[in-house]
Amino acid sequence: MTMLSLALVIILHNYGLSVCQNKSRPNIVMVMSDAFDGRLSFDPGSRVVQLPYINYLRELGATFLNAYTNSPICCPSRAAMWSGQFVHLTQSWNNYKCLDPNTTTWMDILETNGYYTKMMGKLDYTSGSHSVSNRVEAWTRDVPFLLSQEGRPVSQLVGNTSTVRIMGEDWKNTDKATQWIHQTAASSHRPFALYLGLNLPHPYKTESLGPTAGGSTFRTSPYWLKKVSSELVSVPKWLPMAAMHPVDYYSTFTKNCSGNFTEEEIKNIRAFYYAMCAEADAMLGQVISALRETGLLNNTVVIFTADHGELAMEHRQFYKMSMFEGSSHVPLLIMGPGLKSGQQVNQLVSLVDLYPTVLDISGISVVGNLSGHSLLPLLSTSMFFKKQHPDWVLSEYHGCNVNASTYMLRSGRWKYITYADGQSVSPQLFDLKLDQDELHNVGVKYPDVQAYLDKLLRNIVDYPKVSALVRFYNKKTFGAWRHDLGRNYSQVIANLRWHVDWQRDVLANERAIDKWLYGTV
C-alpha cells in the first residue's frame, strides 16, 4: 500500500468515527415537510417568521444554503429522495405515476442492515393525491387550450390566539412519532431510523369548490400569525402578463392567478403561508424534544427538509410546479453527533443526495449507481472531500399546470431553464447573483453561457428524448382512460373544472383533443 493510499484510509476511518462519535451507529430521524420555502431557513428569509427549532438545527448543525428539489411537485420529488435517482430515471412523471412499489429505498437498506425502522405521516412516493382533473390537464397539456385547474388562492383565519393545532392530521402523526420515540425507540437495543412526513405548510384543499378542487386555501390562526413579522412581509414584483414567458403565462392562468389581486390579498396569503411554516416548525420541535427527553438526541442525526417550496404569489403564482426559487429551493438542515455546529454550506445539493448521505451516516456501502452523492464530505474540513460533489443540480417537471416538460440546471450564479425539445419553446437564463427576483431573462445577453449550460445539461440527460417519452406516456394514458370510460367520457370530462372556453365550444375542444391524440380532425 502506498503512503497516499494509507493516508486516505486513515482519513476515511477517522472521518467515519467522527460522525459516529466512536459509538454504535447513530440513529437517524428525518422530518420532511411539504411546500416549505428553503430560503426561510437562513437569512434574510428567516427573519420574516419565528422558526425556533429550525434555528436550533441551524445553530447546532449544518444548513445547506443551496438545496433544491429534483422535481417541484410532491410525488416525483419524494420518489427521487427515496430512490436516490433522478426523475427521468424512475419515470415518476407526475403525482399519479411515481416510484415503482418494488423499488428499494434507503429505509429498506437500513432495515436490512440492522436498523429498526418506522415511517409515519405523508409518504407519497408511489402515488399521491391527484384528482382526475389534474391528471387530465397533465395528460392533455399539449392541446392548444387553457384549463382553469385551481381555485383562486385565498387566506382563511380560524380560531383565536389560543388555537395551536390547525393541521390536525399532522399533529396526530407527530404525536404518534413522539410516542414511538418514548415507548419503542428509547428501549430498543438497535439503532433506529424514523421518518415523519408532514402536509404543512402545503395550502389546504378549498372545500367550497367541490371534489375536484386543489389546495388553494392558506389557513392559520392568530396564534401562529403572531410569529410573523408583518412589516417584513413583502409584495413580490410581477412582470406584466404580456411580458411573461409563455410557460409561466400558462401556469399563472391555470393556477387562477391571472385576475386582479390587491396588495392586502397578496400580503395576507404570504403572511398566512409563513404562519403555516411556523406551525410545521413546532412539529419538528416536538420530535426534537422527545429525542432530548429520552436521552437519544446526542446519538441521533436529525434531518429536516421538504419535497419542494411554495411560490406564495411570487411571479403571480402560488403552489409549486415551477423552477423559480420559491418553488424549487428547499430547506436542508442536518444536526448530529460529530458534526460541527453552525456550518453554512454553499455547495449546490439536491434531494437525491439524501439516499447516499443516510447510508454514509450508518456506515453502509452504496451498491449500484445513484444520481446523488453523500453530503457528509461537505461537512468535513478536508479539501479532498469537498471536490467530490458535482457543482450543479438538476430539477425536472412533467406534470400539471405547466404545458411543457421543464428542466432546470443550476450551476454557480446561473439558473438555466429549458423546455420540451429545447427548440419549440424558448429557454430562460437567470443570473441569481444580480437578479434574485428572477425577472430578467439574460439568455440573449449571454449566449455563450446559455450554450455551455445547455451542453452540460444534455450530457446529464437527453432531455428532448425524455420529453418525447413523456408525450408518448401522456397520449397513451389519456387514450386508455378515455377508452375505459366509454359512453361516460363526455359527462365525466364536462364535469371537470375546464376553462370557460371549453364549455363555450365543446365540439372545437373535442376536435383539438382528437387531432392531438390521433393526428386527425
Side-chain angles (χ1 to χ4, degrees):
M1 180 179 290
T2 66
M3 290 299 293
L4 177 59
S5 298
L6 179 60
L8 290 178
V9 169
I10 293 172
I11 290 172
L12 289 168
H13 178 69
N14 289 339
Y15 181 71
L17 289 178
S18 72
V19 174
C20 297
Q21 276 195 331
N22 293 315
K23 296 182 181 180
S24 60
R25 292 181 293 174
N27 308 308
I28 300 169
V29 172
M30 180 184 293
V31 177
M32 175 172 256
S33 63
D34 192 320
F36 202 111
D37 185 344
R39 298 169 300 176
L40 298 177
S41 63
F42 52 85
D43 287 339
S46 61
R47 301 174 195 170
V48 74
V49 58
Q50 297 173 32
L51 303 171
Y53 295 101
I54 286 178
N55 289 340
Y56 179 83
L57 293 185
R58 183 172 61 180
E59 292 171 7
L60 297 182
T63 306
F64 289 85
L65 304 179
N66 291 293
Y68 286 86
T69 180
N70 299 108
S71 186
I73 193 171
C74 302
C75 293
S77 171
R78 293 166 191 263
M81 187 276 290
W82 282 112
S83 69
Q85 298 281 349
F86 289 136
V87 168
H88 62 272
L89 298 177
T90 62
Q91 298 190 5
S92 303
W93 303 136
N94 53 49
N95 273 1
Y96 182 64
K97 186 184 186 302
C98 299
L99 204 59
D100 188 302
N102 296 320
T103 301
T104 300
T105 68
W106 53 260
M107 190 69 91
D108 295 327
I109 295 178
L110 289 181
E111 186 171 17
T112 301
N113 283 270
Y115 269 75
Y116 191 9
T117 63
K118 189 68 175 179
M119 300 164 68
M120 296 182 179
K122 187 170 187 175
L123 300 179
D124 274 11
Y125 62 93
T126 56
S127 188
S129 177
H130 208 211
S131 68
V132 174
S133 184
N134 283 128
R135 274 182 245 163
V136 171
E137 193 272 331
W139 295 333
T140 62
R141 65 187 188 180
D142 289 333
V143 184
F145 51 70
L146 290 171
L147 309 176
S148 190
Q149 287 296 311
E150 310 298 342
R152 180 184 170 94
V154 295
S155 57
Q156 182 183 55
L157 190 65
V158 297
N160 52 46
T161 54
S162 299
T163 306
V164 176
R165 296 195 167 201
I166 312 300
M167 170 46 81
E169 183 180 355
D170 276 355
W171 281 110
K172 185 188 299 183
N173 288 322
T174 303
D175 289 343
K176 288 179 180 178
T178 54
Q179 185 180 39
W180 186 85
I181 291 171
H182 279 280
Q183 297 181 356
T184 304
S187 59
S188 175
H189 298 293
R190 292 187 287 162
F192 67 85
L194 170 66
Y195 171 88
L196 173 62
L198 303 177
N199 288 287
L200 279 179
H202 190 292
Y204 292 81
K205 184 176 180 180
T206 306
E207 302 290 349
S208 62
L209 297 179
T212 63
S216 59
T217 298
F218 293 82
R219 181 183 302 149
T220 193
S221 71
Y223 177 89
W224 295 113
L225 270 181
K226 288 192 301 181
K227 311 295 183 183
V228 179
S229 299
S230 57
E231 70 279 5
L232 297 180
V233 178
S234 63
V235 176
K237 299 175 183 177
W238 290 351
L239 290 174
M241 293 284 288
M244 280 184 172
H245 186 277
V247 173
D248 296 332
Y249 176 90
Y250 179 93
S251 296
T252 292
F253 195 97
T254 59
K255 291 177 182 179
N256 205 355
C257 292
S258 58
N260 294 325
F261 288 84
T262 66
E263 182 174 305
E264 182 181 11
E265 281 183 287
I266 296 169
K267 293 192 75 170
N268 279 344
I269 289 169
R270 292 173 66 76
F272 279 50
Y273 168 69
Y274 297 141
M276 293 160 68
C277 291
E279 187 178 357
D281 177 79
M283 297 172 192
L284 169 66
Q286 184 168 305
V287 173
I288 293 173
S289 296
L291 292 170
R292 185 189 300 112
E293 292 161 3
T294 53
L296 295 168
L297 187 59
N298 288 338
N299 196 40
T300 300
V301 174
V302 179
I303 302 171
F304 177 76
T305 189
D307 56 353
H308 51 74
E310 163 63 55
L311 287 163
M313 301 311 292
E314 292 183 9
H315 300 278
R316 203 185 186 110
Q317 297 181 39
F318 77 109
Y319 247 8
K320 54 277 189 177
M321 305 149 176
S322 166
M323 296 303 173
F324 289 126
E325 288 291 285
S327 169
S328 63
H329 200 141
V330 298
L332 181 55
L333 301 99
I334 303 178
M335 178 189 77
L339 299 180
K340 183 181 176 182
S341 298
Q343 294 188 79
Q344 291 195 333
V345 183
N346 282 299
Q347 172 71 46
L348 289 161
V349 300
S350 64
L351 292 180
V352 289
D353 294 325
L354 289 175
Y355 188 116
T357 300
V358 168
L359 297 189
D360 202 358
I361 289 169
S362 57
I364 300 171
S365 299
V366 174
V367 178
N369 294 322
L370 295 178
S371 301
H373 299 75
S374 174
L375 300 174
L376 288 191
L378 299 176
L379 306 181
S380 167
T381 56
S382 169
M383 290 305 296
F384 170 80
F385 288 115
K386 291 187 178 181
K387 294 180 181 178
Q388 304 307 300
H389 200 286
D391 60 355
W392 51 263
V393 293
L394 168 70
S395 188
E396 53 189 293
Y397 183 72
H398 308 284
C400 58
N401 293 108
V402 178
N403 59 343
S405 287
T406 307
Y407 306 85
M408 182 270 280
L409 187 70
R410 173 78 203 277
S411 180
R413 65 195 290 174
W414 304 104
K415 177 185 285 188
Y416 176 61
I417 306 172
T418 189
Y419 304 89
D421 57 5
Q423 296 180 346
S424 56
V425 182
S426 60
Q428 293 173 288
L429 178 68
F430 297 104
D431 181 349
L432 296 188
K433 185 176 181 180
L434 300 179
D435 180 24
Q436 294 183 359
D437 294 326
E438 300 173 283
L439 295 174
H440 305 286
N441 180 5
V442 293
V444 174
K445 185 177 180 180
Y446 298 103
D448 291 345
V449 173
Q450 182 165 294
Y452 167 77
L453 293 174
D454 188 74
K455 182 178 179 180
L456 176 59
L457 177 60
R458 289 173 187 266
N459 286 335
I460 299 166
V461 53
D462 185 349
Y463 69 84
K465 181 178 179 180
V466 173
S467 298
L469 185 63
V470 175
R471 285 196 301 273
F472 176 78
Y473 160 79
N474 285 341
K475 286 188 178 184
K476 179 181 177 181
T477 311
F478 176 82
W481 174 78
R482 178 173 170 172
H483 179 268
D484 288 344
L485 287 176
R487 294 181 179 179
N488 293 326
Y489 165 75
S490 296
Q491 181 178 356
V492 170
I493 205 166
N495 289 331
L496 300 180
R497 289 179 292 118
W498 300 97
H499 175 46
V500 66
D501 285 349
W502 173 276
Q503 297 185 5
R504 186 181 301 147
D505 196 348
V506 176
L507 183 59
N509 285 293
E510 284 283 11
R511 285 177 174 172
I513 284 184
D514 285 341
K515 184 176 182 180
W516 162 75
L517 194 60
Y518 306 115
T520 62
V521 182

